[in-house]
Every structure is written in C-alpha cells, then in structure tokens.
Amino acid sequence: MQDTAETEEMLEVEIWRGAEDGALRTYRVPRRESQTVLDVVTWVQRNAEPALAYRFACRVGMCGSCAMQVNGKPRWTCRTHVAKVAEGGKLRIEPLANLPKIKDLATDMAPFFEKWAEARGRHEPTRTRHEPMAPVSPENPARAAANAGIECINCAVCYAACDVVGWDGSYLGPAALNRAWTLANDERDADRCGVLRAVSQSGGCHTCHSHGSCVEHCPVGINPTAGIAGLKRMTLAALMRGEL
Amino acid sequence: MLEARLYLLQRASAMLLAPLVLLHLGLILYAIEGGLSAGEILGRTKGSLFWAGFYGLFVLAAALHAPIGLRNILREWTHWRGRSLDLATGGFALLLLALGLRAVWAVTA
Ligand code: HEM
Ligand code: SF4
Ligand code: SF4
Ligand code: FES
C-alpha cells in the first residue's frame, strides 16, 4: 500500500483559508478518475483540514450552493471535473468573487439575494389559490422568453463573473436581473410595471455593459445579457408610454 | 427613471454622433486635401444656416453623450455617487455646450 501511495499521482491544491485577511494554503491531494473539484475540497476537509469551511448540498448541479473560484474562474464545483480545469496538476480554489468572505470557501450570499428582492424578484399573483390556474400558452413569445431564464439555480457564478458588480456595489447583477426579466414576461404577474420600475433604479439594468461574461460562465446555459438587453428595451418602451 | 432617461439620451445622441462624426472627418479631409485656406473656409461657413445647424446639433449631441458616459465611468472607477456627481457631470455638460456653441457662433455668425 505504501508503494502505491508513493507513486500515486498527486494534485497540488491551493485553498483559501480565513476571511478577507486570509491566505492560500497548499495541500497535496491524490488524483482520482472522474474527480470533481468538490471531491478535492471534500478530500482535504476529511483528510487534512477538518475545520475547512465550504458549502455544498446536492452534488449534482441542482442546488447552486457549491460555487467557488477555481483557478481564477467562478464554477459550480460539483460538476466541474479536475481534468477540465487543472493546469499542470495544480488547482487554486478560492471563495466566490464579488461577495464578502466569511471563512475559507464560504461567502456571505446575503447581498446576492438581497438584490433579487431589490429587483422585485418576487411573483405578484393575479389570482388566489382558490381560483383555477391561469392558462398560459407555451407558444406565446413572452412565455418563451421567460422560459429561457427560469432554470436558474441561484449559484451566483454569473454574479462573481461580472466585472461591473465588482466595480459598482449597487449593481443588481445578472442573476437578479434575469429573474426580473422572467417576471416582466410573465402574464400572470400582477405588477409587471413594478418590476420595470425596480430595475430602472440606480444600479439597475442600464448599468450593464452587455459584455457577456455572465453568459460565458453560467453553468446551466442561461443568457442574462439577453434578458438584461430585453429589460432595457422594455423600460425604454415604458418610459415612452409614461409608465415608468 | 433617471437612469432609463440617461440611457436613452446616451444611445440617441450616439446615433446622431455616428453620422455627424463621419461627415465631420470627411469634411476635414476635403478641406485639407483641397487646400482651402482659413479665410476660404470661413467664407463658406459664415452666415450659413446649414453649417450652424450641423455643428450646433453636433455640439448638443456631444454635450449630452460625453457627460453621461463620464458619469458611468466615475461611478464604476471611483466611490463618487449621488447628487454631487449628478451636479458635477451636469455642469460638465453645460460647459461643453457653452464652449461648443461659442465655437459654432464664431465660425458661422
Ligand atoms: C461615433 C460616435 C459615437 C458613438 C456611436 C458612441 C457610442 C457609445 C455607446 C453605445 C456607449 C455606451 C457604452 C456602454 O454603456 O457600454 C458610449 C459610451 C461613451 N461614450 Fe460614446 N459614442 C460616440 C462618440 C463619442 C464621443 C465623440 C465622445 C466624447 C466626446 C464619447 C464619449 C463616451 C464616453 C465617455 C462613454 C462612456 C463609456 C462607457 O460607458 O463605457 N463618445 N458611446
Ligand atoms: S453582460 Fe452585464 S450582467 Fe453580464 S457580466 Fe457583463 S455587465 Fe455583468
Ligand atoms: S444565471 Fe446561471 S450563473 Fe447566474 S445564478 Fe443563475 S444559474 Fe447561476
Ligand atoms: S452541490 Fe448542488 S449544485 Fe453543486
């Protein structure tokens, strides 16, 4: 057994320890077949650093809780294979960018979710639960636009990838605006104008430069840039109609 | 509301600027290549409603477009926000407008 351990392929893994004033620490982690970045973090926590703080839940790309910076890029770590991202057997794993660091790989997600609320990301119903469900045609173009954005898993990968979020702390960011876009296209929403007003505040959709880093990084293939461009068009139309 | 207005104004002014900049550049080339003297140029612009309108519009579009862009840049690259920034960039717009219109007046009036 000793012999195989000696010849085993090892990864050199730097992991962020501590809060804002923390630092990277290096660990040697055995390389495994089909190993994900989350597997690496879990190995370190179980074998080398029991106090390592990090988040995950589903391990299958559903819950959106495992996102981290991997070699400088935000990624969902449970679905990111080491083979795809390791550079020369090296990994650098850090907490998600653009969010306050709490401890090690865990960030404070509160600002991210507060911005969903600021973007009026809550559905305002037109009917109560005692009424029949509203029939919505899937062919309706507005519904198709909303459908393209509804599979968001709230992972904040796009938020970490957006330079504008890093520069302007008040910017709502791609995920919250994508959510607003789905509601602005939802015919069952009772106050779609309220959504357009919410995203026209300072730090709203007009702050986006359409450079598409969010699209590039979103693990589930959502295109927040397109939704934000749609919100810009919708808000301008509402402005012309005097509804903003 | 303000953000949507400024966004609209910046895009609308950019749409105006695009052809105006091209015409302006073409005009410079024409004047230089054709070897027109300053006096000859002034002779054509003085009293011309067309050139007053052309450059007046140019000045107006630039005076709207550049300060809005500057406001965006300052918000992203510094911690300057709020009313004081709006007043400062608004002041910059007025300054550009005044300087620009003065120049238009000088060559067309
Ligand atoms: C051909 C004419 C022009 C066109 C089509 C144009 C177009 C644009 C557009 C679309 C933006 C928005 C970029 C964004 O938000 O991501 C922009 C920004 C800007 N423009 Fe122009 N522009 C023109 C001329 C000018 C001129 C003559 C000036 C300066 C006097 C200027 C100064 C700025 C500044 C400072 C910004 C802000 C940069 C930014 O927001 O990223 N532009 N321009
Ligand atoms: S397109 Fe807009 S939201 Fe997406 S990364 Fe760029 S600035 Fe951010
Ligand atoms: S839009 Fe994509 S990257 Fe952004 S939070 Fe949703 S799933 Fe994650
Ligand atoms: S652990 Fe749930 S998405 Fe990665």
Side-chain angles (χ1 to χ4, degrees):
Chain A
M1 288 306 280
Q2 199 62 22
D3 283 346
T4 45
E6 290 284 315
T7 54
E8 208 171 20
E9 197 189 336
M10 299 297 270
L11 285 164
E12 194 181 312
V13 183
E14 288 182 288
I15 295 183
W16 185 266
R17 298 299 322 279
E20 299 294 344
D21 56 353
L24 289 166
R25 249 188 92 169
T26 307
Y27 304 89
R28 282 170 57 77
V29 179
R31 181 80 174 86
R32 298 270 183 265
E33 215 178 310
S34 303
Q35 190 177 24
T36 65
V37 174
L38 186 64
D39 293 335
V40 170
V41 175
T42 302
W43 188 94
V44 171
Q45 196 263 335
R46 287 191 186 161
N47 298 282
E49 198 75 75
L52 183 69
Y54 67 106
R55 289 197 191 97
F56 75 96
C58 71
R59 295 179 299 132
V60 291
M62 299 289 290
C63 72
S65 58
C66 66
M68 301 168 199
Q69 300 289 126
V70 183
N71 286 352
K73 292 207 172 112
R75 294 189 182 275
W76 53 353
T77 56
C78 71
R79 296 285 300 271
T80 301
H81 282 261
V82 170
K84 189 180 147 197
V85 290
E87 290 157 8
K90 288 187 185 175
L91 282 178
R92 192 176 73 251
I93 309 175
E94 294 161 289
L96 215 46
N98 293 341
L99 288 162
K101 300 177 178 66
I102 299 178
K103 179 179 184 289
D104 306 340
L105 300 171
T107 54
D108 180 2
M109 302 283 286
F112 175 70
F113 289 115
E114 275 159 13
K115 286 176 177 178
W116 285 57
E118 271 178 58
R120 231 284 338 248
R122 166 192 81 248
H123 174 62
E124 293 287 350
T126 42
R127 301 185 181 194
T128 68
R129 70 183 66 195
H130 307 295
E131 289 164 86
M133 291 231 287
V136 178
S137 161
E139 272 94 53
N140 175 332
R143 189 59 237 165
N147 281 346
I150 53 172
E151 298 293 347
C152 171
I153 59 170
N154 310 10
C155 65
V157 161
C158 55
Y159 190 81
C162 176
D163 284 334
V164 179
V165 171
W167 296 329
D168 182 348
S170 71
Y171 178 42
L172 296 173
L177 290 170
N178 174 70
R179 169 66 180 163
W181 170 245
T182 61
L183 289 171
N185 279 295
D186 190 341
E187 60 188 277
R188 298 163 306 164
D189 196 283
D191 185 23
R192 292 197 265 167
C193 233
V195 177
L196 297 183
R197 274 193 293 273
V199 300
S200 296
Q201 304 297 312
S202 174
C205 64
H206 305 100
T207 307
C208 168
H209 286 296
S210 313
H211 66 336
S213 185
C214 49
V215 190
E216 178 96 13
H217 290 86
C218 174
V220 298
I222 286 172
N223 185 342
T225 312
I228 296 167
L231 283 175
K232 287 172 178 171
R233 286 193 300 274
M234 257 190 202
T235 53
L236 290 191
L239 182 72
M240 302 297 190
R241 290 195 304 267
E243 289 172 2
L244 210 56
Chain B
M1 174 88 151
L2 173 68
E3 301 301 322
R5 281 226 171 97
L6 292 180
Y7 179 86
L8 177 62
L9 278 178
Q10 204 192 15
R11 307 302 133 146
S13 57
M15 280 200 247
L16 267 178
L17 278 170
L20 292 180
V21 165
L22 289 179
L23 258 163
H24 176 58
L25 289 175
L27 198 66
I28 292 172
L29 287 179
Y30 169 78
I32 301 290
E33 295 296 318
L36 286 186
S37 70
E40 284 168 323
I41 294 175
L42 279 179
R44 297 184 191 190
T45 55
K46 285 276 180 192
S48 160
L49 262 183
F50 174 78
W51 290 119
F54 178 89
Y55 279 110
L57 197 62
F58 203 147
V59 163
L60 183 69
L64 282 170
H65 184 86
I68 298 173
L70 189 67
R71 176 176 175 270
N72 292 340
I73 294 175
L74 287 170
R75 275 157 53 124
E76 281 171 14
W77 290 85
T78 70
H79 290 289
W80 198 1
R81 299 279 139 83
R83 241 185 111 65
S84 67
L85 175 62
D86 292 349
L87 288 175
T89 45
F92 181 57
L94 291 178
L95 180 72
L96 285 183
L97 191 67
L99 290 174
L101 289 182
R102 195 175 134 243
V104 175
W105 181 263
V107 295
T108 58

